[in-house]
Amino acid sequence: FKTPAKAAFLSPIINFVLNCVFIFGMGFSALSVALATSISSWANILYLYNNLKKHYDQVVSPEGLHEAIKVLAISVGSALVAALFQAYYFTTPQLFHLFKGTQDSLPTGFFDQIVYLAIPGLFYITLLIVTAWIFKAKDLLVLLRIKR
């Protein structure tokens, strides 16, 4: 129980430090808080993985590693295609405004929010499901509750 407790204690500390560095030190916008949270979560995962690997020789089976790489490739590929779709048909994807001080391209009207944010999001989810089905990514299909 010590290792998970240490990880649970270290992750918020890393998050707090990165938030301070990104916002106050580097002058990034408030959206960098999500980036700091993601980095601290990945640090938590790596810490736990390394500790598991010390106690057990093999943490992930070759089949599990193959499936994880497949899920990662499908997710990243779908995100890139969805970003291109959004940039071509709508507006610049919000990812590229992450480090700006202001978010001047966010839509304010309800209909504009549906058009510029929900449609690309639905496009991404649809693309993710279709590519997971084509490449038989079992873990992703189970996660999306499409397959048991």
Side-chain angles (χ1 to χ4, degrees):
F1 295 111
K2 281 184 177 181
T3 302
K6 287 179 187 176
F9 181 74
L10 289 174
S11 185
I13 292 173
I14 293 170
N15 190 6
F16 177 76
V17 169
L18 287 175
N19 282 330
C20 291
V21 168
F22 287 158
I23 293 174
F24 301 118
M26 300 174 126
F28 292 164
S29 68
L31 287 177
S32 63
V33 172
L35 180 63
T37 303
S38 297
I39 292 171
S40 67
S41 295
W42 277 104
N44 189 6
I45 289 169
L46 291 174
Y47 176 75
L48 291 172
Y49 177 81
N50 285 332
N51 279 305
L52 275 174
K53 199 166 185 171
K54 284 180 192 174
H55 290 36
Y56 307 102
D57 289 334
Q58 186 178 9
V59 178
V60 179
S61 68
E63 297 87 18
L65 183 62
H66 178 69
E67 192 68 23
I69 291 171
K70 195 186 317 184
V71 167
L72 184 65
I74 289 170
S75 300
V76 169
S78 297
L80 290 174
V81 172
L84 291 172
F85 171 80
Q86 185 180 9
Y88 185 76
Y89 287 107
F90 298 104
T91 183
T92 306
Q94 295 304 311
L95 173 69
F96 301 110
H97 297 289
L98 180 64
F99 298 114
K100 284 178 62 175
T102 59
Q103 293 290 328
D104 53 6
S105 67
L106 289 174
T108 56
F110 178 72
F111 182 73
D112 291 337
Q113 289 176 350
I114 296 289
V115 169
Y116 289 115
L117 301 173
I119 292 175
L122 287 173
F123 180 76
Y124 168 73
I125 292 171
T126 304
L127 189 62
L128 187 69
I129 291 169
V130 169
T131 53
W133 192 267
I134 290 171
F135 292 108
K136 296 177 177 59
K138 293 179 286 190
D139 288 347
L140 193 57
L141 293 171
V142 169
L143 180 68
L144 296 170
R145 306 223 189 267
I146 294 173
K147 192 174 184 179
R148 292 181 184 216

